[in-house]
Structures are given as structure tokens and as C-alpha cells.
Amino acid sequence: MEHAQHVASPPNGRMAAYVAVIAAVSFAILTALVVANRTAVIDRELILSLRAEASPVLTTILLAVTFTSGRLAIPAAVLFAFALYRRSGARAVIFYAAACVTGELLDALLKLDVSRVRPHGVSPRLTSAGGFAYPSADAMLAVLIFGLGTVMLAWTMRSGRMRAAALTAAALFVVVASVARVYLGAHWPSDVLGGVLAGIACAAFYVSALRRSPGVRVPGAVREAQG
């Protein structure tokens, strides 16, 4: 099967490596603070501030967002993988799938290691949530499944406006999905921040690895931007 564009790759793999290191170090620092219970006060204050803005309309919107980031995550990953295969080929799908699976495994291991309990008695629990809290799987997978998937597809887009719109929408979704988990009583704010940082570190690592992968060529949209 021929593809109009080959495996997508960012114009600067070294930059992706820097982002991965910065996000990983930030995550390590945050994790140390969480384990030492140094985020408890600000976590509680942020939850109370967010719940002060509660309304039926906002609750409905955020329930829909958290349903998308949670229950629809796997179907969304399949759709992203299919689109990546059509536009960039099998290699892009392999790296994308590897990043998502790595994130899922990393989240499970970190939850067991940190063993942080979810918020209780601070705000009402408006959505289902089980197991330990840190880091937030929804936030991490929002970055990997929706964020990384959009970024990789954006590399194949020739229109700068389309790329900007897609990346903005993905970033907004990650932010709203993270806020939703706090608003709905499933996570502490530091849980979702940890999930986002871990997701960025994982995504950037695979982006850097994809850039260094043999046979990877920069797609037309990126070549034009560099020229």
C-alpha cells in the first residue's frame, strides 16, 4: 500500500529530547513533593476554589469531557492509529501505539508505588474512579492518545492554519480533561499535573526516538515550513 506521505517526524528531534528530560525532571520533583505530603494544602485550596464555580451546565460539560477522555480513550486511539497509518504508514502507528501502551503501564506502576488515596470529604464524587490517585491516568492518556495523536497527524497537514487549529484543540482538550477530573472529585490537582507531565515526557521521548529512527523522512508540510 502506497502512502501520499511517509512517516511523519518533527523537524527537530533534539528539541523533543529536551522536552522529555524537562518534563521527566519536573514530574520527579512533583512526585517527591506528593510523597512528602507537601502539596496537600494547595491541592485542597484548588479543589475548593474550583468547586466554588460549580453549576449544572459546567458539570454536564465536564462529565462529557471525562467520558471522552476515559471511556472513549481506546476507540479514539484506534481511530488515531488508523488515520496515522493512512497518512504516515505503519512506522508512525508503531511509535504511537508504543507511547500509549508505555503510558498505561507507567501509570499503573506509579500508582502502586505512590499509593495515594483519592480526595474524600473535600468535594462530591460526581464520576466513577477507583484505585490509587497519583498520577491521573485520564490526564496522562489525554496527552498521549489525543495530544500525541493530533501532533503526529498535524505533521502531515500542509495547511498551517489547520495544524494550528488541530494543535490548539488538542491542547485545550488536555487542559479541560484534567480540570474535569478535579472538578468531578476523582483527583487532586497534583494528580492531574503529574499525569500531564508524565504524558508529555513519554510522548516527547517517543517523538525523539521516531526522529532518529532509520528511514524516517520529514513530511511535505514540515519541509515546506523549513524551506
Side-chain angles (χ1 to χ4, degrees), residues 18-45:
Y18 290 154
V19 171
V21 171
I22 292 171
V25 171
S26 300
F27 175 77
I29 294 172
L30 176 61
T31 302
L33 292 173
V34 168
V35 171
N37 201 33
R38 300 294 295 273
T39 64
V41 174
I42 190 170
D43 273 333
R44 185 181 181 87
E45 290 179 351

Side-chain angles (χ1 to χ4, degrees), residues 20-21 28 37 89 93 119 130 135 137 139 148 180 186 188 204 207:
V21 171
N37 201 33
V93 176
L148 179 60
W188 302 100
V207 166

Side-chain angles (χ1 to χ4, degrees), residues 6-7 44 66 70 77 150 170 177 196 199 216:
H6 293 272
V7 177
R44 185 181 181 87
T66 204
T150 301
V196 169
V216 172

Side-chain angles (χ1 to χ4, degrees), residues 102-179:
T102 300
E104 184 70 34
L105 294 175
L106 184 62
D107 177 79
L109 291 173
L110 289 168
K111 274 185 165 63
L112 288 175
D113 186 52
V114 177
S115 299
R116 190 188 201 188
V117 297
R118 294 178 185 270
H120 178 71
V122 183
S123 64
R125 179 75 62 83
L126 302 177
T127 186
S128 59
F132 295 119
Y134 183 90
S136 166
D138 280 58
M140 185 186 297
L141 293 179
V143 172
L144 290 169
I145 293 177
F146 296 91
L148 179 60
T150 301
V151 167
M152 294 180 72
L153 285 176
W155 296 334
T156 69
M157 297 176 183
R158 294 186 177 278
S159 169
R161 289 184 178 181
M162 286 185 62
R163 288 197 300 274
L167 294 174
T168 299
L172 182 61
F173 179 80
V174 170
V175 171
V176 176
S178 299
V179 171

